[in-house]
Amino acid sequence: MAAPMTIDDSPPRVSTFESLRVRNFRLFFTGQLISQVGNWLTLIAQALLVLKLTDSGLALGLLAACQFGPVLVLGPWAGLVADRSDKRKLLMIEQTFAMMQSFALAFIAFMHHPSVAAIYVVAVLGGVATALDNPARRAYVVEMVPEANVQNAVSLNSALMTGSRVVGPALAGLLITTVGYGWTFATDGLSYLAVILGLFLMRTRDNRPHVITPRGKGQIREGLRYVRTMPELFVPMVMMAIIGTFAFNFQTVMPLLVKRTLHGNDRTFTLIYSVISIGSLAGALMSARRSSVNIRNIVWAAYGFGAAMLLLAVTPNVPFTYPIGIFVGFSSIAFMTTSTAIVQLRSDPSMRGRVLALQAMVFLGSTPIGGPILGYVSQRFGPRSGVVIGGVAAIVAGIYGMRAIRVRDATTSPVTGGTMATAR
């Protein structure tokens, strides 16, 4: 079992882009950057198309349930598949499937009367792809770089995801208003060629040796028990479940807040989303300079995210929303990168796929629960109410994390730097 995590008083800093010196990671990073921009085209276009066809907050919540429900249902199995597989080959198969899903959405959008039910069905297929992609992709990041660069690679991967949110929503708004929803989905489909080509060109012999878990009985339960006995994994998981359910539902709450409360349009929504993403990118790049992380970092990030969401809930108009959006983006990605990094750093390699799949379950998989709830609340009581719930949830998660630290301090011997010790 992994040794307790320790933190120096002055953690060393590394170059922000250190991991990009590794050829395989450069190929991965470049392909993912293009593909993730395309992925945001689909996420934004799906939400705006469903809202256009239904004018219903509940319908948006149901779309979120379709998109991320498979992560909740298939998460443990997908993590086990990642642990048992050659992750590069698995990603190439999954990315090809996801490309077909985007082209299917384009076909539906080109119809004279697009079917909302058909959009939901294809969204479920996209959710299956996400369930398989998430643990395999994130575990593969660790294999491509030296161990000393793992934190940097994780943060750069988060910067990639958030950087794509700067460009993707703005590009989605431009494409939707100029060429329509169909070509927006089709552009996403073409973007998958970049990541497939990057994976194909990799030199696998340059990667670190990886453990492929042999088949056996009870391996999913084994992964669950492993997380439960590791407080430094379990506490961030619980915090992620709370925040993922009620705070990270931007695709449900934000279109309603912008259109109904702030009286904006599709372009306003995509611009605000891009501004939030600029804050996220800044937070991710700052996190990339850290070489270590602990539970307290996650707690303070949760507090900051909660405060930012509460400010967003009382924004009076669109101009005020832009600076608040930067704060929302910065604090949200600070929480994401710290909680993800500690999971990737502290997981045993043979368990990493299952642990990351469990994290995806409690984060993305909680959206099908929170999405319809927040959609109904926003429809019934106004979008500001949905944002308030997210802010309060983030603060509650921070309180839980802080109490867990204090309980640890009261019941175990001190650990250097105050990080949570590994249970034996």
Side-chain angles (χ1 to χ4, degrees):
M1 187 166 295
M5 180 185 291
T6 60
I7 295 291
D8 296 332
D9 291 336
S10 300
R13 300 283 177 175
V14 297
S15 170
T16 302
F17 302 101
E18 181 73 24
S19 297
L20 290 178
R21 297 180 181 180
V22 180
R23 177 182 181 274
N24 283 352
F25 186 77
R26 282 200 309 274
L27 288 170
F28 172 86
F29 188 93
T30 303
Q32 285 288 333
L33 179 60
I34 296 171
S35 179
Q36 288 300 319
V37 169
N39 187 48
W40 277 103
L41 299 183
T42 285
L43 289 175
I44 297 296
Q46 269 184 316
L48 292 179
L49 181 56
V50 168
L51 186 60
K52 176 184 176 181
L53 295 173
T54 65
D55 192 33
S56 168
L58 183 58
L60 283 178
L62 291 175
L63 174 64
C66 292
Q67 290 170 325
F68 301 110
V71 179
L72 179 63
V73 175
L74 302 177
W77 173 78
L80 184 57
V81 170
D83 283 338
R84 287 176 173 176
S85 304
D86 181 320
K87 297 175 185 62
R88 173 175 164 272
K89 293 179 180 178
L90 177 62
L91 286 170
M92 292 180 72
I93 295 171
E94 176 275 322
Q95 292 289 294
T96 302
F97 178 77
M99 179 172 63
M100 296 298 103
Q101 175 255 346
S102 294
F103 285 135
L105 283 171
F107 178 79
I108 295 169
F110 279 127
M111 293 180 177
H112 188 61
H113 296 291
S115 166
V116 175
I119 294 173
Y120 285 163
V121 170
V122 179
V124 170
L125 297 177
V128 173
T130 300
L132 290 169
D133 171 80
N134 204 285
R137 171 172 46 81
R138 292 161 67 200
Y140 195 47
V141 167
V142 178
E143 296 178 8
M144 284 184 283
V145 299
E147 186 174 358
N149 290 352
V150 168
Q151 164 70 15
N152 177 256
V154 169
S155 294
L156 283 180
N157 192 49
S158 297
L160 179 155
M161 298 300 170
T162 55
S164 68
R165 287 169 54 182
V166 177
V167 179
L171 182 58
L174 177 63
L175 291 174
I176 290 168
T177 55
T178 54
V179 298
Y181 291 98
W183 287 112
T184 304
F185 291 128
T187 303
D188 175 32
L190 292 173
S191 73
Y192 282 100
L193 295 175
V195 69
I196 294 171
L197 179 62
L199 290 166
F200 179 78
L201 293 175
M202 285 184 183
R203 294 196 294 255
T204 55
R205 65 180 181 275
D206 293 343
N207 291 340
R208 284 197 293 154
H210 60 280
V211 177
I212 295 181
T213 302
R215 293 181 178 272
K217 294 182 178 180
Q219 290 177 320
I220 292 177
R221 291 192 300 273
E222 182 185 8
L224 295 174
R225 286 194 300 268
Y226 174 72
V227 170
R228 187 64 185 89
T229 58
M230 293 274 289
E232 60 186 355
L233 300 180
F234 182 73
V235 172
M237 290 284 188
V238 174
M239 295 177 66
M240 181 68 78
I242 297 169
I243 291 177
T245 300
F246 297 108
F248 273 105
N249 269 283
F250 294 139
Q251 72 276 17
T252 300
V253 175
M254 286 301 294
L256 299 172
L257 179 69
V258 171
K259 290 194 168 187
R260 295 187 179 179
T261 303
L262 303 179
H263 308 293
N265 53 30
D266 287 353
R267 184 165 294 180
T268 308
F269 167 66
T270 55
L271 285 175
I272 290 175
Y273 220 115
S274 293
V275 168
I276 292 174
S277 301
I278 290 172
S280 299
L281 179 59
L285 291 176
M286 182 174 291
S287 298
R289 295 182 63 82
R290 293 188 61 89
S291 62
S292 54
V293 66
N294 62 25
I295 300 290
R296 281 190 171 85
N297 299 138
I298 303 173
V299 168
W300 287 111
Y303 285 150
F305 184 32
M309 290 290 283
L310 293 178
L311 285 174
L312 182 64
V314 298
T315 181
N317 52 43
V318 170
F320 274 92
T321 305
Y322 292 128
I324 295 173
I326 291 177
F327 184 24
V328 170
F330 186 93
S331 55
S332 65
I333 202 61
F335 174 78
M336 276 297 302
T337 55
T338 51
S339 57
T340 298
I342 200 169
V343 168
Q344 288 181 296
L345 287 166
R346 303 311 300 160
S347 301
D348 185 273
S350 66
M351 292 282 187
R352 188 170 288 130
R354 278 166 283 180
V355 173
L356 290 173
L358 183 58
Q359 189 197 38
M361 277 182 62
V362 300
F363 176 48
L364 298 177
S366 59
T367 300
I369 300 171
I373 293 173
L374 291 175
Y376 173 78
V377 169
S378 298
Q379 183 84 15
R380 180 71 176 81
F381 302 104
R384 293 188 191 275
S385 300
V387 181
V388 168
I389 290 175
V392 171
I395 292 173
V396 168
I399 292 171
Y400 164 78
M402 186 61 73
R403 289 190 64 185
I405 293 173
R406 290 172 178 170
V407 168
R408 185 283 319 270
D409 289 343
T411 57
T412 64
S413 59
V415 178
T416 302
T419 56
M420 191 157 294
T422 301
R424 295 287 180 179

